[in-house]
């Protein structure tokens, strides 16, 4: 049978790619069709119709894109597609009966993980009652729900996801990979527990180290992959000692197979981080950690059911910064029970952690989450299944959220948002540092680190302005709030454009350093030339503390003033090789 799988492919969509390889292993023909934005709709319809698959599957993972996928389903039918149209993913699964009721274009909705399910569907289209874990429309139009027979417990039995093309950084292909599925916690903003309650099976499952190594070696040898982006919700195991043993085994077996000189990116909870485990992962090539801090207030952490402490977050940040990796985190500063003191605590946390890229937002009540269940029970849930909404209980905190959500919308959430761009600059620097440390100078490092701090400091200062305004404002005065929000947005957007321009020049300098890697020894730019070129590029000066622009944090020296200086940052132009950094770190590890 011919099958088309449609979904976002901004990076490798492992869900679709696992389904593709499972279908192909059973003799089906599969085409993966990217649908990254609504502007792709016409092309997706054209490709589907030109290949005439009997089965089309839509990967409806995110609530924010739910309506787009529904419009795509309607466009496929309008274009003349008459085959079976199904959808899967958390958004589709939790809203399966509503989708079948409201959108006749869909024939069925998958409830759980897709590998076995899509194969069963492809082989039983004439009798959907035979397929476990699917919601479909009966002849009378009413929805039927077939119970699931549990998820795949033995992940080693799954074929590796289908690989086609790869993104690359500095000539190094990158691949996404999973070593586990699920999670052992029950955070209020996550739907994993509800997912497995619905479809059955173990809530948390892991692949064997041998199976992981086999996939990595295949990617390494056949496709030249050198950067591995681990997409696990938490790369660690619940037991710290078992996690350490697993990482040691992974390191040793990869080395035995000749998989060396790689870089890895992971996600982690703060309470999983230990110095011993990070040391092993550093040996593996750790260059990026997305850390689930989520909230800096103990009250906020409890309300989000994180089951971690602020002290654990602080400890994790200290350890990871000691290893000098690209460390980014998110703050769910707003949740239904947030009070002004919680916001102040989070502001203090930002103030003390300007070194690392971060973002902030509200905890959303997605379908299937504990937060949705709680708000529904309290009669606070607003909106519909395409975008559930709520208001914070404290009027001042709700006013604070509305102002910053409007003022920071582009900086936080747009495709080119400054906070994501901040992460990109550090990500790029750390990859160069892993693979080509000889091209980096201390001046370039200073530019990157200063840019991160300057961006974070600007966000912090603007948030403080909002806090001061809200603390003395009347939250019921809508006109005053709207006027202030509009003013703040103009300020934030203006500063974002300026900072983004600085970051672009730093990225250009990083790429320039890479391009010139074969043209000299470490520190190939003579110090005097580098000073002039850096200033012409508009590099920010290093961050010197919390004093603000009046104390020079944002001041750029002129080219003329720097002509006689050896280095505009006052630092050595000679880069520190990574092996030397590691040896210095190990000598200080006993402190």
């Amino acid at each position: 049978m011919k099958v088309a799988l449609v979904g976002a492919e901004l990076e490798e969509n492992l869900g679709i790619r696992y389904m593709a390889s499972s279908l192909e292993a059973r003799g089906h023909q599969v085409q993966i069709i990217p649908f990254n934005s609504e502007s792709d709709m016409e092309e997706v319809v054209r490709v589907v119709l030109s290949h005439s698959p009997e089965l089309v599957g839509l990967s409806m993972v995110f609530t924010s894109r739910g309506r787009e996928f529904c419009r795509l389903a309607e466009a496929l039918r309008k274009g003349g597609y008459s085959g079976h149209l199904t959808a899967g993913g958390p958004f589709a699964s939790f809203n399966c009966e509503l989708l079948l009721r409201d959108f006749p274009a869909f024939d069925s909705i998958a409830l759980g993980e897709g590998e076995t399910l899509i194969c069963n569907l492809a082989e039983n289209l004439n009798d959907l009652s035979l397929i476990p874990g699917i919601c479909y429309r009966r002849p009378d139009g009413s929805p039927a729900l077939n119970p699931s027979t549990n998820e795949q417990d033995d992940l080693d039995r799954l074929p590796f996801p289908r690989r086609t093309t790869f993104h690359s950084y500095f000539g190094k292909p990158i691949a996404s990979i999973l070593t586990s599925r699920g999670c052992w916690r029950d955070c209020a903003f996550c739907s994993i527990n509800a997912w497995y309650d619905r479809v059955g099976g173990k809530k948390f499952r892991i692949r064997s180290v041998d199976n992981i190594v086999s996939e990595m070696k295949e990617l390494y040898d056949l496709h030249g992959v050198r950067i591995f982006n681990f997409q696990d919700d938490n790369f660690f195991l619940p037991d710290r000692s078992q996690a350490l043993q697993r990482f040691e085994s992974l390191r040793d077996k990869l080395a035995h197979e000749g998989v060396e000189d790689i870089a890895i990116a992971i996600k982690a909870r703060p309470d999983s981080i230990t110095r011993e485990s990070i040391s092993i992962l550093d040996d593996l090539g750790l260059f990026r950690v997305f850390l689930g801090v989520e909230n800096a207030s103990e009250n906020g952490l409890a309300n989000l059911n994180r089951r971690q402490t602020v002290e654990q977050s602080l400890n994790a940040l200290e350890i990871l910064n000691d290893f000098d990796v690209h460390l980014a985190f998110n703050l769910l500063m707003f949740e239904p029970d947030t009070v002004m003191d919680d916001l102040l605590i989070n502001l203090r946390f930002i103030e003390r952690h300007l070194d690392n890229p971060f973002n902030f937002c509200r905890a959303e009540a997605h379908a299937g989450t504990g937060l949705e269940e709680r708000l529904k029970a309290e009669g606070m849930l607003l909106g519909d299944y395409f975008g559930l909404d709520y208001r914070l209980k404290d009027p001042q905190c709700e006013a604070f959220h509305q102002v910053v959500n409007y003022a920071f919308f582009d900086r936080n959430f747009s495709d080119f948002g400054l906070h994501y761009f901040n992460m990109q600059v550090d990500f790029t620097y750390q990859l160069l540092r892993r693979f080509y440390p000889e091209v980096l100078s201390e001046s370039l490092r200073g530019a990157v680190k200063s840019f991160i701090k300057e961006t974070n400091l600007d966000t912090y200062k603007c948030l403080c302005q909002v806090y001061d305004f809200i603390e003395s404002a009347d939250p019921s005065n809508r006109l005053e709030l709207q006027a202030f929000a509009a003013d703040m947005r103009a300020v934030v957007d203006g500063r974002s454009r300026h900072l983004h321009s600085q970051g672009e020049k730093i990225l250009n300098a990083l790429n320039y350093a890479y391009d010139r890697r074969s043209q000299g020894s470490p520190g190939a730019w003579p110090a005097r030339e580098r000073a002039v070129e850096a200033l012409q590029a508009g590099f920010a000066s290093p961050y010197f503390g919390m004093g603000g622009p009046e104390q020079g944090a944002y001041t750029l020296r002129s080219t003329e003033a720097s002509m006689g200086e050896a280095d505009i940052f006052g630092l050595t132009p000679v880069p520190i090789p990574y092996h030397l950094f590691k040896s210095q770190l190990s000598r200080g590890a006993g402190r």
Side-chain angles (χ1 to χ4, degrees), residues 358-360 408 411-412 417-423 455 459:
F358 79 98
N359 208 344
F360 68 90
F408 281 86
R411 184 176 286 200
N412 285 4
L418 182 64
H419 284 149
Y420 293 114
F421 186 64
N422 204 17
M423 296 178 192
T455 297
T459 291

Side-chain angles (χ1 to χ4, degrees), residues 434-453:
R434 271 289 169 184
F435 290 116
Y436 303 104
E438 69 278 3
V439 309
L440 296 173
S441 66
E442 285 300 299
S443 297
L444 197 47
R445 176 187 172 90
V448 171
K449 299 305 180 182
S450 296
F451 173 70
I452 294 168
K453 292 177 181 178

